[in-house]
Amino acid sequence: AEIFLRIHANGAANSEVQGTMTLCNTPNNPYNADIYESSRRLSDAVLEHMVSNMGSKNRGVWETDTMSGINWAKVPVTIIEMGFMTNPEEEAKLVTDEYQQKIISGIISGLEKYFNE
């Protein structure tokens, strides 16, 4: 694999929280700091294009070393949090074909940016 994408729907105790975010490792990750720059660039590109395409709130890139799916990656990695299923408005969008197509198109555009830079 050239990259690793994990796609999730987020959740929060506060049902008003909404938006799209991505996660990647930190530059000090003890397992894979060597892929930080590529993972961050991947996370930024995907997030930028998803938010633009979906019209969602940009919650930014969260750098963390607490996720096993990130820590054990050997290739650039991002976790995509499409939106909050605990937010009634966002959850209603997430289940529609139209919104899912916007999500997919945003991811694809972000990947094109990542691979063509």
Side-chain angles (χ1 to χ4, degrees):
E2 291 186 51
I3 60 167
F4 177 38
L5 302 177
R6 289 181 54 170
I7 302 173
H8 294 226
N10 218 337
N14 180 348
S15 65
E16 294 182 19
V17 177
Q18 62 180 311
T20 304
M21 66 186 294
T22 54
L23 291 78
C24 71
N25 56 312
T26 73
N28 300 315
N29 187 293
Y31 308 104
N32 59 8
D34 59 316
I35 64 168
Y36 165 74
E37 288 185 27
S38 295
S39 293
R40 179 61 199 229
R41 191 167 56 82
L42 174 63
S43 295
D44 285 332
V46 169
L47 180 63
E48 172 191 339
H49 286 270
M50 286 183 69
V51 167
S52 175
N53 207 49
M54 296 162 57
S56 60
K57 178 181 179 178
N58 185 336
R59 298 192 61 84
V61 176
W62 176 29
E63 294 182 2
T64 181
D65 295 331
T66 63
M67 304 284 183
S68 60
I70 291 175
N71 290 344
W72 302 115
K74 301 294 182 200
V75 295
V77 57
T78 190
I79 297 177
I80 299 167
E81 296 286 357
M82 303 174 292
F84 283 78
M85 61 186 169
T86 51
N87 177 293
E89 290 177 19
E90 217 161 54
E91 192 270 338
K93 289 180 189 177
L94 287 168
V95 299
T96 68
D97 290 342
E98 180 182 345
Y99 200 67
Q100 290 172 10
Q101 288 302 312
K102 289 180 180 184
I103 293 168
I104 292 165
S105 295
I107 293 171
I108 290 169
S109 295
L111 294 177
E112 288 173 344
K113 178 180 180 178
Y114 173 80
F115 282 113
N116 290 317
E117 282 187 340

mmCIF file with all atom_site columns, all heavy atoms in Angstrom, residues 1-4 25 29-36 38-39 68-77:
data_model
loop_
_atom_site.group_PDB
_atom_site.id
_atom_site.type_symbol
_atom_site.label_atom_id
_atom_site.label_alt_id
_atom_site.label_comp_id
_atom_site.label_asym_id
_atom_site.label_entity_id
_atom_site.label_seq_id
_atom_site.pdbx_PDB_ins_code
_atom_site.Cartn_x
_atom_site.Cartn_y
_atom_site.Cartn_z
_atom_site.occupancy
_atom_site.B_iso_or_equiv
_atom_site.pdbx_formal_charge
_atom_site.auth_seq_id
_atom_site.auth_comp_id
_atom_site.auth_asym_id
_atom_site.auth_atom_id
_atom_site.pdbx_PDB_model_num
ATOM 1   N N   . ALA A 1 1  ? 0.838  -1.189 0.000  1.00 0.00 ? 1  ALA A N   1
ATOM 2   C CA  . ALA A 1 1  ? 0.000  0.000  0.000  1.00 0.00 ? 1  ALA A CA  1
ATOM 3   C C   . ALA A 1 1  ? 0.877  1.245  0.000  1.00 0.00 ? 1  ALA A C   1
ATOM 4   O O   . ALA A 1 1  ? 1.947  1.257  0.591  1.00 0.00 ? 1  ALA A O   1
ATOM 5   C CB  . ALA A 1 1  ? -0.899 -0.005 1.218  1.00 0.00 ? 1  ALA A CB  1
ATOM 6   N N   . GLU A 1 2  ? 0.397  2.280  -0.645 1.00 0.00 ? 2  GLU A N   1
ATOM 7   C CA  . GLU A 1 2  ? 1.111  3.561  -0.643 1.00 0.00 ? 2  GLU A CA  1
ATOM 8   C C   . GLU A 1 2  ? 0.638  4.468  0.478  1.00 0.00 ? 2  GLU A C   1
ATOM 9   O O   . GLU A 1 2  ? 1.388  5.325  0.945  1.00 0.00 ? 2  GLU A O   1
ATOM 10  C CB  . GLU A 1 2  ? 0.945  4.253  -1.990 1.00 0.00 ? 2  GLU A CB  1
ATOM 11  C CG  . GLU A 1 2  ? 1.678  3.534  -3.110 1.00 0.00 ? 2  GLU A CG  1
ATOM 12  C CD  . GLU A 1 2  ? 1.619  4.305  -4.396 1.00 0.00 ? 2  GLU A CD  1
ATOM 13  O OE1 . GLU A 1 2  ? 1.940  5.511  -4.383 1.00 0.00 ? 2  GLU A OE1 1
ATOM 14  O OE2 . GLU A 1 2  ? 1.252  3.704  -5.418 1.00 0.00 ? 2  GLU A OE2 1
ATOM 15  N N   . ILE A 1 3  ? -0.628 4.317  0.894  1.00 0.00 ? 3  ILE A N   1
ATOM 16  C CA  . ILE A 1 3  ? -1.198 5.075  2.009  1.00 0.00 ? 3  ILE A CA  1
ATOM 17  C C   . ILE A 1 3  ? -2.176 4.170  2.747  1.00 0.00 ? 3  ILE A C   1
ATOM 18  O O   . ILE A 1 3  ? -2.568 3.116  2.238  1.00 0.00 ? 3  ILE A O   1
ATOM 19  C CB  . ILE A 1 3  ? -1.942 6.353  1.546  1.00 0.00 ? 3  ILE A CB  1
ATOM 20  C CG1 . ILE A 1 3  ? -3.095 5.980  0.611  1.00 0.00 ? 3  ILE A CG1 1
ATOM 21  C CG2 . ILE A 1 3  ? -0.981 7.354  0.928  1.00 0.00 ? 3  ILE A CG2 1
ATOM 22  C CD1 . ILE A 1 3  ? -4.057 7.113  0.348  1.00 0.00 ? 3  ILE A CD1 1
ATOM 23  N N   . PHE A 1 4  ? -2.588 4.616  3.939  1.00 0.00 ? 4  PHE A N   1
ATOM 24  C CA  . PHE A 1 4  ? -3.577 3.893  4.733  1.00 0.00 ? 4  PHE A CA  1
ATOM 25  C C   . PHE A 1 4  ? -4.627 4.894  5.195  1.00 0.00 ? 4  PHE A C   1
ATOM 26  O O   . PHE A 1 4  ? -4.296 5.872  5.865  1.00 0.00 ? 4  PHE A O   1
ATOM 27  C CB  . PHE A 1 4  ? -2.897 3.221  5.927  1.00 0.00 ? 4  PHE A CB  1
ATOM 28  C CG  . PHE A 1 4  ? -3.815 2.498  6.871  1.00 0.00 ? 4  PHE A CG  1
ATOM 29  C CD1 . PHE A 1 4  ? -4.912 1.779  6.415  1.00 0.00 ? 4  PHE A CD1 1
ATOM 30  C CD2 . PHE A 1 4  ? -3.566 2.517  8.232  1.00 0.00 ? 4  PHE A CD2 1
ATOM 31  C CE1 . PHE A 1 4  ? -5.739 1.101  7.289  1.00 0.00 ? 4  PHE A CE1 1
ATOM 32  C CE2 . PHE A 1 4  ? -4.384 1.839  9.126  1.00 0.00 ? 4  PHE A CE2 1
ATOM 33  C CZ  . PHE A 1 4  ? -5.478 1.130  8.648  1.00 0.00 ? 4  PHE A CZ  1
ATOM 34  N N   . ASN A 1 25 ? -0.218 10.835 13.064 1.00 0.00 ? 25 ASN A N   1
ATOM 35  C CA  . ASN A 1 25 ? 0.802  10.711 14.109 1.00 0.00 ? 25 ASN A CA  1
ATOM 36  C C   . ASN A 1 25 ? 1.511  12.047 14.348 1.00 0.00 ? 25 ASN A C   1
ATOM 37  O O   . ASN A 1 25 ? 1.399  12.973 13.555 1.00 0.00 ? 25 ASN A O   1
ATOM 38  C CB  . ASN A 1 25 ? 1.811  9.623  13.743 1.00 0.00 ? 25 ASN A CB  1
ATOM 39  C CG  . ASN A 1 25 ? 2.465  9.845  12.393 1.00 0.00 ? 25 ASN A CG  1
ATOM 40  O OD1 . ASN A 1 25 ? 1.804  10.108 11.410 1.00 0.00 ? 25 ASN A OD1 1
ATOM 41  N ND2 . ASN A 1 25 ? 3.764  9.728  12.337 1.00 0.00 ? 25 ASN A ND2 1
ATOM 42  N N   . ASN A 1 29 ? 6.363  10.506 17.323 1.00 0.00 ? 29 ASN A N   1
ATOM 43  C CA  . ASN A 1 29 ? 5.806  9.170  17.521 1.00 0.00 ? 29 ASN A CA  1
ATOM 44  C C   . ASN A 1 29 ? 6.937  8.157  17.669 1.00 0.00 ? 29 ASN A C   1
ATOM 45  O O   . ASN A 1 29 ? 7.828  8.096  16.816 1.00 0.00 ? 29 ASN A O   1
ATOM 46  C CB  . ASN A 1 29 ? 4.904  8.792  16.347 1.00 0.00 ? 29 ASN A CB  1
ATOM 47  C CG  . ASN A 1 29 ? 4.177  7.499  16.575 1.00 0.00 ? 29 ASN A CG  1
ATOM 48  O OD1 . ASN A 1 29 ? 4.790  6.438  16.639 1.00 0.00 ? 29 ASN A OD1 1
ATOM 49  N ND2 . ASN A 1 29 ? 2.862  7.585  16.686 1.00 0.00 ? 29 ASN A ND2 1
ATOM 50  N N   . PRO A 1 30 ? 6.937  7.359  18.733 1.00 0.00 ? 30 PRO A N   1
ATOM 51  C CA  . PRO A 1 30 ? 8.043  6.419  18.953 1.00 0.00 ? 30 PRO A CA  1
ATOM 52  C C   . PRO A 1 30 ? 8.074  5.252  17.966 1.00 0.00 ? 30 PRO A C   1
ATOM 53  O O   . PRO A 1 30 ? 9.083  4.556  17.882 1.00 0.00 ? 30 PRO A O   1
ATOM 54  C CB  . PRO A 1 30 ? 7.803  5.912  20.375 1.00 0.00 ? 30 PRO A CB  1
ATOM 55  C CG  . PRO A 1 30 ? 6.361  6.128  20.634 1.00 0.00 ? 30 PRO A CG  1
ATOM 56  C CD  . PRO A 1 30 ? 5.970  7.337  19.831 1.00 0.00 ? 30 PRO A CD  1
ATOM 57  N N   . TYR A 1 31 ? 6.996  5.065  17.191 1.00 0.00 ? 31 TYR A N   1
ATOM 58  C CA  . TYR A 1 31 ? 6.926  3.923  16.279 1.00 0.00 ? 31 TYR A CA  1
ATOM 59  C C   . TYR A 1 31 ? 7.129  4.296  14.815 1.00 0.00 ? 31 TYR A C   1
ATOM 60  O O   . TYR A 1 31 ? 7.636  3.496  14.039 1.00 0.00 ? 31 TYR A O   1
ATOM 61  C CB  . TYR A 1 31 ? 5.576  3.212  16.429 1.00 0.00 ? 31 TYR A CB  1
ATOM 62  C CG  . TYR A 1 31 ? 5.272  2.865  17.854 1.00 0.00 ? 31 TYR A CG  1
ATOM 63  C CD1 . TYR A 1 31 ? 4.350  3.602  18.587 1.00 0.00 ? 31 TYR A CD1 1
ATOM 64  C CD2 . TYR A 1 31 ? 5.926  1.818  18.492 1.00 0.00 ? 31 TYR A CD2 1
ATOM 65  C CE1 . TYR A 1 31 ? 4.081  3.298  19.912 1.00 0.00 ? 31 TYR A CE1 1
ATOM 66  C CE2 . TYR A 1 31 ? 5.665  1.512  19.815 1.00 0.00 ? 31 TYR A CE2 1
ATOM 67  C CZ  . TYR A 1 31 ? 4.739  2.252  20.518 1.00 0.00 ? 31 TYR A CZ  1
ATOM 68  O OH  . TYR A 1 31 ? 4.480  1.962  21.828 1.00 0.00 ? 31 TYR A OH  1
ATOM 69  N N   . ASN A 1 32 ? 6.694  5.491  14.431 1.00 0.00 ? 32 ASN A N   1
ATOM 70  C CA  . ASN A 1 32 ? 6.739  5.822  13.003 1.00 0.00 ? 32 ASN A CA  1
ATOM 71  C C   . ASN A 1 32 ? 6.886  7.326  12.729 1.00 0.00 ? 32 ASN A C   1
ATOM 72  O O   . ASN A 1 32 ? 6.273  7.857  11.815 1.00 0.00 ? 32 ASN A O   1
ATOM 73  C CB  . ASN A 1 32 ? 5.513  5.268  12.287 1.00 0.00 ? 32 ASN A CB  1
ATOM 74  C CG  . ASN A 1 32 ? 4.202  5.801  12.838 1.00 0.00 ? 32 ASN A CG  1
ATOM 75  O OD1 . ASN A 1 32 ? 4.180  6.710  13.665 1.00 0.00 ? 32 ASN A OD1 1
ATOM 76  N ND2 . ASN A 1 32 ? 3.100  5.234  12.373 1.00 0.00 ? 32 ASN A ND2 1
ATOM 77  N N   . ALA A 1 33 ? 7.729  7.970  13.488 1.00 0.00 ? 33 ALA A N   1
ATOM 78  C CA  . ALA A 1 33 ? 7.967  9.399  13.276 1.00 0.00 ? 33 ALA A CA  1
ATOM 79  C C   . ALA A 1 33 ? 8.451  9.684  11.848 1.00 0.00 ? 33 ALA A C   1
ATOM 80  O O   . ALA A 1 33 ? 8.220  10.777 11.324 1.00 0.00 ? 33 ALA A O   1
ATOM 81  C CB  . ALA A 1 33 ? 8.973  9.931  14.293 1.00 0.00 ? 33 ALA A CB  1
ATOM 82  N N   . ASP A 1 34 ? 9.060  8.695  11.214 1.00 0.00 ? 34 ASP A N   1
ATOM 83  C CA  . ASP A 1 34 ? 9.601  8.888  9.866  1.00 0.00 ? 34 ASP A CA  1
ATOM 84  C C   . ASP A 1 34 ? 8.518  9.120  8.812  1.00 0.00 ? 34 ASP A C   1
ATOM 85  O O   . ASP A 1 34 ? 8.811  9.645  7.741  1.00 0.00 ? 34 ASP A O   1
ATOM 86  C CB  . ASP A 1 34 ? 10.479 7.702  9.461  1.00 0.00 ? 34 ASP A CB  1
ATOM 87  C CG  . ASP A 1 34 ? 9.732  6.380  9.468  1.00 0.00 ? 34 ASP A CG  1
ATOM 88  O OD1 . ASP A 1 34 ? 8.975  6.113  10.429 1.00 0.00 ? 34 ASP A OD1 1
ATOM 89  O OD2 . ASP A 1 34 ? 9.905  5.594  8.519  1.00 0.00 ? 34 ASP A OD2 1
ATOM 90  N N   . ILE A 1 35 ? 7.253  8.771  9.103  1.00 0.00 ? 35 ILE A N   1
ATOM 91  C CA  . ILE A 1 35 ? 6.181  9.017  8.130  1.00 0.00 ? 35 ILE A CA  1
ATOM 92  C C   . ILE A 1 35 ? 5.326  10.232 8.518  1.00 0.00 ? 35 ILE A C   1
ATOM 93  O O   . ILE A 1 35 ? 4.312  10.501 7.885  1.00 0.00 ? 35 ILE A O   1
ATOM 94  C CB  . ILE A 1 35 ? 5.290  7.780  7.912  1.00 0.00 ? 35 ILE A CB  1
ATOM 95  C CG1 . ILE A 1 35 ? 4.546  7.394  9.203  1.00 0.00 ? 35 ILE A CG1 1
ATOM 96  C CG2 . ILE A 1 35 ? 6.089  6.623  7.323  1.00 0.00 ? 35 ILE A CG2 1
ATOM 97  C CD1 . ILE A 1 35 ? 3.445  6.367  8.999  1.00 0.00 ? 35 ILE A CD1 1
ATOM 98  N N   . TYR A 1 36 ? 5.742  10.963 9.545  1.00 0.00 ? 36 TYR A N   1
ATOM 99  C CA  . TYR A 1 36 ? 4.942  12.099 10.014 1.00 0.00 ? 36 TYR A CA  1
ATOM 100 C C   . TYR A 1 36 ? 4.661  13.113 8.899  1.00 0.00 ? 36 TYR A C   1
ATOM 101 O O   . TYR A 1 36 ? 3.505  13.488 8.676  1.00 0.00 ? 36 TYR A O   1
ATOM 102 C CB  . TYR A 1 36 ? 5.599  12.818 11.199 1.00 0.00 ? 36 TYR A CB  1
ATOM 103 C CG  . TYR A 1 36 ? 4.966  14.166 11.440 1.00 0.00 ? 36 TYR A CG  1
ATOM 104 C CD1 . TYR A 1 36 ? 3.702  14.263 12.026 1.00 0.00 ? 36 TYR A CD1 1
ATOM 105 C CD2 . TYR A 1 36 ? 5.588  15.340 11.012 1.00 0.00 ? 36 TYR A CD2 1
ATOM 106 C CE1 . TYR A 1 36 ? 3.092  15.493 12.198 1.00 0.00 ? 36 TYR A CE1 1
ATOM 107 C CE2 . TYR A 1 36 ? 4.978  16.576 11.192 1.00 0.00 ? 36 TYR A CE2 1
ATOM 108 C CZ  . TYR A 1 36 ? 3.738  16.645 11.782 1.00 0.00 ? 36 TYR A CZ  1
ATOM 109 O OH  . TYR A 1 36 ? 3.121  17.865 11.934 1.00 0.00 ? 36 TYR A OH  1
ATOM 110 N N   . SER A 1 38 ? 4.652  12.994 5.666  1.00 0.00 ? 38 SER A N   1
ATOM 111 C CA  . SER A 1 38 ? 3.742  12.482 4.631  1.00 0.00 ? 38 SER A CA  1
ATOM 112 C C   . SER A 1 38 ? 2.336  12.283 5.188  1.00 0.00 ? 38 SER A C   1
ATOM 113 O O   . SER A 1 38 ? 1.347  12.572 4.513  1.00 0.00 ? 38 SER A O   1
ATOM 114 C CB  . SER A 1 38 ? 4.269  11.170 4.061  1.00 0.00 ? 38 SER A CB  1
ATOM 115 O OG  . SER A 1 38 ? 5.487  11.382 3.397  1.00 0.00 ? 38 SER A OG  1
ATOM 116 N N   . SER A 1 39 ? 2.243  11.795 6.421  1.00 0.00 ? 39 SER A N   1
ATOM 117 C CA  . SER A 1 39 ? 0.923  11.592 7.037  1.00 0.00 ? 39 SER A CA  1
ATOM 118 C C   . SER A 1 39 ? 0.223  12.927 7.263  1.00 0.00 ? 39 SER A C   1
ATOM 119 O O   . SER A 1 39 ? -0.985 13.059 7.041  1.00 0.00 ? 39 SER A O   1
ATOM 120 C CB  . SER A 1 39 ? 1.064  10.837 8.364  1.00 0.00 ? 39 SER A CB  1
ATOM 121 O OG  . SER A 1 39 ? 1.512  9.526  8.145  1.00 0.00 ? 39 SER A OG  1
ATOM 122 N N   . SER A 1 68 ? -3.698 2.939  17.880 1.00 0.00 ? 68 SER A N   1
ATOM 123 C CA  . SER A 1 68 ? -2.913 1.812  17.370 1.00 0.00 ? 68 SER A CA  1
ATOM 124 C C   . SER A 1 68 ? -2.938 1.760  15.845 1.00 0.00 ? 68 SER A C   1
ATOM 125 O O   . SER A 1 68 ? -1.956 1.372  15.217 1.00 0.00 ? 68 SER A O   1
ATOM 126 C CB  . SER A 1 68 ? -3.396 0.491  17.967 1.00 0.00 ? 68 SER A CB  1
ATOM 127 O OG  . SER A 1 68 ? -4.757 0.267  17.646 1.00 0.00 ? 68 SER A OG  1
ATOM 128 N N   . GLY A 1 69 ? -4.058 2.151  15.239 1.00 0.00 ? 69 GLY A N   1
ATOM 129 C CA  . GLY A 1 69 ? -4.150 2.150  13.781 1.00 0.00 ? 69 GLY A CA  1
ATOM 130 C C   . GLY A 1 69 ? -3.214 3.133  13.118 1.00 0.00 ? 69 GLY A C   1
ATOM 131 O O   . GLY A 1 69 ? -2.861 2.983  11.957 1.00 0.00 ? 69 GLY A O   1
ATOM 132 N N   . ILE A 1 70 ? -2.790 4.136  13.853 1.00 0.00 ? 70 ILE A N   1
ATOM 133 C CA  . ILE A 1 70 ? -1.801 5.090  13.361 1.00 0.00 ? 70 ILE A CA  1
ATOM 134 C C   . ILE A 1 70 ? -0.403 4.615  13.744 1.00 0.00 ? 70 ILE A C   1
ATOM 135 O O   . ILE A 1 70 ? 0.505  4.587  12.917 1.00 0.00 ? 70 ILE A O   1
ATOM 136 C CB  . ILE A 1 70 ? -2.057 6.502  13.934 1.00 0.00 ? 70 ILE A CB  1
ATOM 137 C CG1 . ILE A 1 70 ? -3.333 7.100  13.341 1.00 0.00 ? 70 ILE A CG1 1
ATOM 138 C CG2 . ILE A 1 70 ? -0.868 7.425  13.683 1.00 0.00 ? 70 ILE A CG2 1
ATOM 139 C CD1 . ILE A 1 70 ? -3.736 8.437  13.926 1.00 0.00 ? 70 ILE A CD1 1
ATOM 140 N N   . ASN A 1 71 ? -0.236 4.227  14.994 1.00 0.00 ? 71 ASN A N   1
ATOM 141 C CA  . ASN A 1 71 ? 1.097  3.893  15.512 1.00 0.00 ? 71 ASN A CA  1
ATOM 142 C C   . ASN A 1 71 ? 1.778  2.755  14.764 1.00 0.00 ? 71 ASN A C   1
ATOM 143 O O   . ASN A 1 71 ? 3.005  2.734  14.684 1.00 0.00 ? 71 ASN A O   1
ATOM 144 C CB  . ASN A 1 71 ? 1.027  3.548  16.999 1.00 0.00 ? 71 ASN A CB  1
ATOM 145 C CG  . ASN A 1 71 ? 0.724  4.751  17.855 1.00 0.00 ? 71 ASN A CG  1
ATOM 146 O OD1 . ASN A 1 71 ? 0.849  5.884  17.421 1.00 0.00 ? 71 ASN A OD1 1
ATOM 147 N ND2 . ASN A 1 71 ? 0.311  4.506  19.079 1.00 0.00 ? 71 ASN A ND2 1
ATOM 148 N N   . TRP A 1 72 ? 1.021  1.818  14.256 1.00 0.00 ? 72 TRP A N   1
ATOM 149 C CA  . TRP A 1 72 ? 1.640  0.661  13.603 1.00 0.00 ? 72 TRP A CA  1
ATOM 150 C C   . TRP A 1 72 ? 1.705  0.801  12.089 1.00 0.00 ? 72 TRP A C   1
ATOM 151 O O   . TRP A 1 72 ? 2.174  -0.094 11.399 1.00 0.00 ? 72 TRP A O   1
ATOM 152 C CB  . TRP A 1 72 ? 0.919  -0.623 14.002 1.00 0.00 ? 72 TRP A CB  1
ATOM 153 C CG  . TRP A 1 72 ? 0.947  -0.788 15.491 1.00 0.00 ? 72 TRP A CG  1
ATOM 154 C CD1 . TRP A 1 72 ? -0.119 -0.778 16.336 1.00 0.00 ? 72 TRP A CD1 1
ATOM 155 C CD2 . TRP A 1 72 ? 2.106  -0.930 16.334 1.00 0.00 ? 72 TRP A CD2 1
ATOM 156 N NE1 . TRP A 1 72 ? 0.304  -0.917 17.640 1.00 0.00 ? 72 TRP A NE1 1
ATOM 157 C CE2 . TRP A 1 72 ? 1.659  -1.011 17.670 1.00 0.00 ? 72 TRP A CE2 1
ATOM 158 C CE3 . TRP A 1 72 ? 3.480  -0.982 16.091 1.00 0.00 ? 72 TRP A CE3 1
ATOM 159 C CZ2 . TRP A 1 72 ? 2.524  -1.140 18.746 1.00 0.00 ? 72 TRP A CZ2 1
ATOM 160 C CZ3 . TRP A 1 72 ? 4.326  -1.120 17.171 1.00 0.00 ? 72 TRP A CZ3 1
ATOM 161 C CH2 . TRP A 1 72 ? 3.858  -1.202 18.467 1.00 0.00 ? 72 TRP A CH2 1
ATOM 162 N N   . ALA A 1 73 ? 1.271  1.925  11.564 1.00 0.00 ? 73 ALA A N   1
ATOM 163 C CA  . ALA A 1 73 ? 1.312  2.142  10.115 1.00 0.00 ? 73 ALA A CA  1
ATOM 164 C C   . ALA A 1 73 ? 2.753  2.282  9.638  1.00 0.00 ? 73 ALA A C   1
ATOM 165 O O   . ALA A 1 73 ? 3.575  2.929  10.281 1.00 0.00 ? 73 ALA A O   1
ATOM 166 C CB  . ALA A 1 73 ? 0.510  3.377  9.738  1.00 0.00 ? 73 ALA A CB  1
ATOM 167 N N   . LYS A 1 74 ? 3.031  1.698  8.506  1.00 0.00 ? 74 LYS A N   1
ATOM 168 C CA  . LYS A 1 74 ? 4.359  1.784  7.877  1.00 0.00 ? 74 LYS A CA  1
ATOM 169 C C   . LYS A 1 74 ? 4.339  2.699  6.657  1.00 0.00 ? 74 LYS A C   1
ATOM 170 O O   . LYS A 1 74 ? 5.373  2.967  6.062  1.00 0.00 ? 74 LYS A O   1
ATOM 171 C CB  . LYS A 1 74 ? 4.842  0.390  7.448  1.00 0.00 ? 74 LYS A CB  1
ATOM 172 C CG  . LYS A 1 74 ? 4.938  -0.600 8.589  1.00 0.00 ? 74 LYS A CG  1
ATOM 173 C CD  . LYS A 1 74 ? 5.999  -0.202 9.567  1.00 0.00 ? 74 LYS A CD  1
ATOM 174 C CE  . LYS A 1 74 ? 6.128  -1.231 10.675 1.00 0.00 ? 74 LYS A CE  1
ATOM 175 N NZ  . LYS A 1 74 ? 6.764  -0.709 11.859 1.00 0.00 ? 74 LYS A NZ  1
ATOM 176 N N   . VAL A 1 75 ? 3.134  3.138  6.273  1.00 0.00 ? 75 VAL A N   1
ATOM 177 C CA  . VAL A 1 75 ? 2.957  4.058  5.143  1.00 0.00 ? 75 VAL A CA  1
ATOM 178 C C   . VAL A 1 75 ? 2.176  5.263  5.657  1.00 0.00 ? 75 VAL A C   1
ATOM 179 O O   . VAL A 1 75 ? 1.549  5.190  6.723  1.00 0.00 ? 75 VAL A O   1
ATOM 180 C CB  . VAL A 1 75 ? 2.201  3.381  3.978  1.00 0.00 ? 75 VAL A CB  1
ATOM 181 C CG1 . VAL A 1 75 ? 3.023  2.244  3.385  1.00 0.00 ? 75 VAL A CG1 1
ATOM 182 C CG2 . VAL A 1 75 ? 0.827  2.888  4.418  1.00 0.00 ? 75 VAL A CG2 1
ATOM 183 N N   . PRO A 1 76 ? 2.191  6.385  4.936  1.00 0.00 ? 76 PRO A N   1
ATOM 184 C CA  . PRO A 1 76 ? 1.431  7.549  5.384  1.00 0.00 ? 76 PRO A CA  1
ATOM 185 C C   . PRO A 1 76 ? -0.011 7.163  5.714  1.00 0.00 ? 76 PRO A C   1
ATOM 186 O O   . PRO A 1 76 ? -0.660 6.418  4.984  1.00 0.00 ? 76 PRO A O   1
ATOM 187 C CB  . PRO A 1 76 ? 1.513  8.497  4.188  1.00 0.00 ? 76 PRO A CB  1
ATOM 188 C CG  . PRO A 1 76 ? 2.814  8.135  3.537  1.00 0.00 ? 76 PRO A CG  1
ATOM 189 C CD  . PRO A 1 76 ? 2.922  6.643  3.686  1.00 0.00 ? 76 PRO A CD  1
ATOM 190 N N   . VAL A 1 77 ? -0.479 7.691  6.843  1.00 0.00 ? 77 VAL A N   1
ATOM 191 C CA  . VAL A 1 77 ? -1.775 7.277  7.386  1.00 0.00 ? 77 VAL A CA  1
ATOM 192 C C   . VAL A 1 77 ? -2.597 8.483  7.814  1.00 0.00 ? 77 VAL A C   1
ATOM 193 O O   . VAL A 1 77 ? -2.037 9.479  8.277  1.00 0.00 ? 77 VAL A O   1
ATOM 194 C CB  . VAL A 1 77 ? -1.568 6.316  8.586  1.00 0.00 ? 77 VAL A CB  1
ATOM 195 C CG1 . VAL A 1 77 ? -0.719 6.951  9.680  1.00 0.00 ? 77 VAL A CG1 1
ATOM 196 C CG2 . VAL A 1 77 ? -2.892 5.820  9.155  1.00 0.00 ? 77 VAL A CG2 1
#
